[in-house]
Amino acid sequence: MSNQLRLCEVAGVKDGEPVAAFAEGMPALAVYNVDGEIFVTDNLCTHGNAMLTDGYQDGDIIECPFHGGSFDIKTGAAKAFPCQVAIASYPVEIEDGWVCITKPEGAV
Ligand code: FES
């Protein structure tokens, strides 16, 4: 059985407009288009109960909608206070026009 998860169609992810995605056994995910390149991170802010897809994308930075913290979309690194803990980011594969990630080891 493949561990590959299909999240959404590439065509549905516009630059600057992150899209929420869901996959079995995974936390809520966010899919981004940065200059035509697709990235996937966890959607939940590490500072509080906010979905980053409700925030504001500025290039490769996603700003949380709650307290102005932000993360690097490409690496998941925390970029602005009060966010200090990185969000998980996932290597992306594009298959038949779909955004796919591989389910990490240990995920159920
Ligand atoms: Fe995201 Fe506070 S919940 S910065």
Side-chain angles (χ1 to χ4, degrees):
M1 201 180 81
S2 167
N3 281 333
Q4 195 179 64
L5 302 169
R6 284 187 167 206
L7 301 182
C8 61
E9 291 187 83
V10 174
V13 189
K14 307 282 181 246
D15 196 342
E17 299 176 27
V19 171
F22 302 91
E24 197 181 333
M26 296 293 295
L29 299 169
V31 185
Y32 313 84
N33 177 331
V34 179
D35 274 337
E37 205 176 340
I38 300 293
F39 298 90
V40 176
T41 70
D42 280 347
N43 201 352
L44 183 66
C45 182
T46 55
H47 178 251
N49 197 22
M51 288 295 160
L52 296 173
T53 48
D54 293 331
Y56 316 97
Q57 182 181 339
D58 182 10
D60 59 2
I61 298 294
I62 182 71
E63 184 181 325
C64 178
F66 276 13
H67 311 111
S70 66
F71 299 92
D72 184 321
I73 290 169
K74 297 182 176 178
T75 66
K79 295 300 277 189
F81 191 79
C83 300
Q84 293 176 296
V85 177
I87 46 173
S89 67
Y90 303 90
V92 171
E93 293 159 65
I94 305 298
E95 290 252 345
D96 301 329
W98 283 75
V99 178
C100 302
I101 62 170
T102 300
K103 191 184 267 195
E105 290 286 320
V108 286

